Amino acid sequence: MMEFKMIMKDFKEMTTRIIKAVPKKASIAILQKVLVMTENNYVYFIATDTEQELRVYKNVTVVENGKFCIDLDVLKKVSKLKANLITIKYDTEEQKMIVNTGKKTVTFYDNSDPENFPLMDYENAESFYSSTYNDFTDMMERLSLYNARKDNTNPLMNAYSFNAEKNRVIALDGHRIAYRTVQNGFNPDSSIREINIDRLFYEKLKPCLKEGKKDLHAIFINTCKSENGKCDKIVIGGNEFYMIVRISETKYWDIDRMILKEFDTNIATFNRNELSEISKYNVSLMTDNKEPMAICFDENDTYSYMNNGKEESFDEFSMTENKAVKSGFMIGFNPSYLVDMCSSIDMDDLKLGFINAKSPMMAYGNEYTILILPVMIKNGEATVKESISKLSNKSLVKTA
């Protein structure tokens, strides 16, 4: 009979870590289970959707090795039991999991055959990327803002691109591009120069990155080659977890053809926190009419204006520097995109680059660069400028 003993605190941590990786809906029922397996004095909780497989593990006292499948809800229920140490057994004949806390024994039945649980294998692993928990989590939190929604038309829209050739990690969503220039992390000797990882990997991995000493623990990404020499999987590992992910061989977009360099744009610098607060309020004005938040330049002043038909919002905010943006220039944006930009750029002095009202706006940080597409001002520039003039008691320049 399979049997192992472990600290309840460790059991709770493993359950928390695996939750996001268990599919809520699956084509076959066993994919909605967690595989519990012991091997070499370790217990593993494993969840998979056959594209991404997460394994979390702890050192335990194993009496007899074995494996079984169980519902995630059962693990959650067990983690609520009061105990410092628990003993878990699995009776293969009666197909039941037996949990003993010392004074209490509970039993859960499950007849799923663990041999039918589709484990992913890998081989020929090669170092590709490494970082600390803190650095990796900070980067992914910033970039995940640009990969938050699933795109059913193009799988690459749902991917993060890790590009060792250009030393950068990229996310985009069709309206925006964000990337980080990585100073250290990519293995210069790796034979693989670019991988694209589906957006869900980070969502599943986040609970694993909340534990431990983030400034000390390392996270790594290794590439794995199949027999034909192509890279078809990667392994992402850290402190007491690793994830196997199938990756696409499809080449990512050449964003260098879309990104504008600083010297190609007219630069204006703003206070990041001030623009963020203005944009956050304007998000509440967003309605089905999709009228954007307008930003208007007038000599040394800058104004924002938004009107959803029921409410209007006007703000005057200062530029700390204006190198070439002309008075009268106006451009519109989805304010939620501006909020994300202010959250993800890594400079308090927000350096923005413009060309015209139909071209992308660029935000330039220390390590992060962001592109945002503008939105057409449906009410027309003249109407918006007239409203701003009334609210500011100033006569604005009519044309840029």
Side-chain angles (χ1 to χ4, degrees):
M1 180 184 294
M2 176 185 178
E3 180 179 346
F4 62 94
K5 305 175 189 291
M6 69 181 302
I7 298 169
M8 176 57 96
K9 182 182 176 182
D10 289 346
F11 184 93
K12 290 180 179 179
E13 183 182 314
M14 290 180 69
T15 302
T16 299
R17 285 181 163 201
I18 204 71
I19 285 175
K20 294 288 187 180
V22 181
K24 293 181 179 179
K25 295 181 180 179
S27 56
I28 53 176
I30 201 165
L31 293 179
Q32 294 177 273
K33 305 282 184 179
V34 176
L35 179 67
V36 180
M37 179 176 70
T38 54
E39 188 176 74
N40 299 326
N41 288 321
Y42 284 92
V43 62
Y44 294 82
F45 289 180
I46 306 172
T48 184
D49 61 6
T50 71
E51 293 295 320
Q52 298 180 348
E53 178 182 300
L54 178 62
R55 303 186 183 193
V56 300
Y57 57 90
K58 287 284 185 182
N59 185 252
V60 299
T61 301
V62 177
V63 178
E64 185 174 335
N65 281 323
K67 57 184 176 180
F68 64 90
C69 294
I70 202 72
D71 287 329
L72 176 61
D73 286 343
V74 170
L75 298 181
K76 291 179 181 179
K77 198 168 186 178
V78 172
S79 67
K80 293 178 181 179
L81 295 174
K82 295 184 182 296
N84 292 323
L85 186 71
I86 59 172
T87 300
I88 297 178
K89 301 178 183 179
Y90 187 77
D91 188 324
T92 53
E93 291 185 4
E94 297 190 20
Q95 297 179 319
K96 64 182 182 181
M97 171 187 175
I98 306 162
V99 182
N100 181 268
T101 66
K103 294 183 178 180
K104 186 179 184 69
T105 300
V106 290
T107 301
F108 303 92
Y109 291 86
D110 197 307
N111 61 1
S112 303
D113 186 353
E115 297 301 327
N116 292 330
F117 193 90
L119 290 173
M120 296 172 65
D121 59 353
Y122 67 93
E123 56 186 0
N124 302 320
E126 177 187 39
S127 174
F128 177 76
Y129 176 87
S130 62
S131 181
T132 64
Y133 274 30
N134 266 347
D135 185 71
F136 185 80
T137 303
D138 179 72
M139 176 180 72
M140 295 308 302
E141 283 297 301
R142 294 175 192 261
L143 294 180
S144 63
L145 296 171
Y146 303 86
N147 209 341
R149 293 178 296 275
K150 183 178 180 180
D151 189 305
N152 293 316
T153 60
N154 193 325
L156 280 182
M157 287 286 188
N158 303 315
Y160 296 98
S161 174
F162 284 70
N163 190 318
E165 197 66 41
K166 299 291 180 69
N167 289 314
R168 62 192 179 197
V169 182
I170 312 164
L172 50 75
D173 66 1
H175 303 281
R176 305 172 293 171
I177 300 172
Y179 71 87
R180 180 197 181 191
T181 301
V182 179
Q183 304 299 330
N184 296 292
F186 288 106
N187 175 13
D189 299 322
S190 172
S191 60
I192 305 298
R193 306 310 294 159
E194 181 183 33
I195 59 174
N196 303 319
I197 314 177
D198 186 88
R199 55 185 281 275
L200 291 179
F201 96 92
Y202 181 60
E203 185 177 320
K204 296 175 182 179
L205 210 58
K206 279 177 73 171
C208 296
L209 301 173
K210 291 180 179 179
E211 307 291 341
K213 298 179 180 178
K214 292 187 177 182
D215 57 336
L216 297 178
H217 287 149
I219 187 167
F220 65 83
I221 300 176
N222 291 344
T223 55
C224 308
K225 292 183 179 179
S226 58
E227 292 182 357
N228 60 13
K230 294 183 178 180
C231 178
D232 60 350
K233 296 188 189 77
I234 60 168
V235 177
I236 307 169
N239 183 45
E240 298 178 324
F241 75 85
Y242 62 94
M243 175 184 275
I244 307 168
V245 182
R246 296 187 198 278
I247 61 172
S248 168
E249 291 185 61
T250 308
K251 188 172 179 59
Y252 206 72
W253 289 281
D254 181 7
I255 67 164
D256 287 326
R257 300 175 63 179
M258 311 174 206
I259 295 296
L260 303 173
K261 303 297 183 183
E262 280 191 51
F263 54 76
D264 292 327
T265 66
N266 302 314
I267 297 292
T269 306
F270 301 90
N271 180 279
R272 177 175 62 89
N273 293 328
E274 185 180 13
L275 182 58
S276 177
E277 288 305 310
I278 293 169
S279 303
K280 283 178 182 177
Y281 182 87
N282 286 336
V283 168
S284 68
L285 273 64
M286 292 177 65
T287 59
D288 292 337
N289 68 10
K290 301 187 185 302
E291 188 64 23
M293 170 179 158
I295 297 177
C296 182
F297 293 79
D298 186 64
E299 297 179 348
N300 295 321
D301 298 320
T302 317
Y303 305 103
S304 74
Y305 179 81
M306 191 165 180
N307 188 331
N308 65 6
K310 295 182 180 180
E311 179 183 351
E312 65 179 348
S313 171
F314 165 78
D315 289 276
E316 180 177 351
F317 57 106
S318 57
M319 286 181 285
T320 56
E321 185 178 19
N322 183 3
K323 291 185 177 179
V325 181
K326 294 181 180 179
S327 289
F329 175 67
M330 180 182 290
I331 190 168
F333 294 103
N334 180 328
S336 65
Y337 292 170
L338 299 181
V339 172
D340 289 345
M341 174 190 70
C342 292
S343 298
S344 54
I345 204 71
D346 55 341
M347 286 182 68
D348 287 333
D349 290 327
L350 183 58
K351 188 187 296 183
L352 301 181
F354 305 91
I355 294 181
N356 57 54
K358 295 183 179 180
S359 297
M361 175 184 73
M362 300 298 304
Y364 304 103
N366 290 320
E367 293 185 336
Y368 290 85
T369 303
I370 298 164
L371 175 152
I372 303 178
L373 294 179
V375 179
M376 182 179 70
I377 300 172
K378 295 180 181 180
N379 290 336
E381 286 191 16
T383 301
V384 172
K385 286 183 178 180
E386 182 180 352
S387 298
I388 293 175
S389 293
K390 290 178 180 178
L391 292 165
S392 64
N393 295 316
K394 289 183 65 176
S395 179
L396 301 188
V397 176
K398 291 185 178 180
T399 57

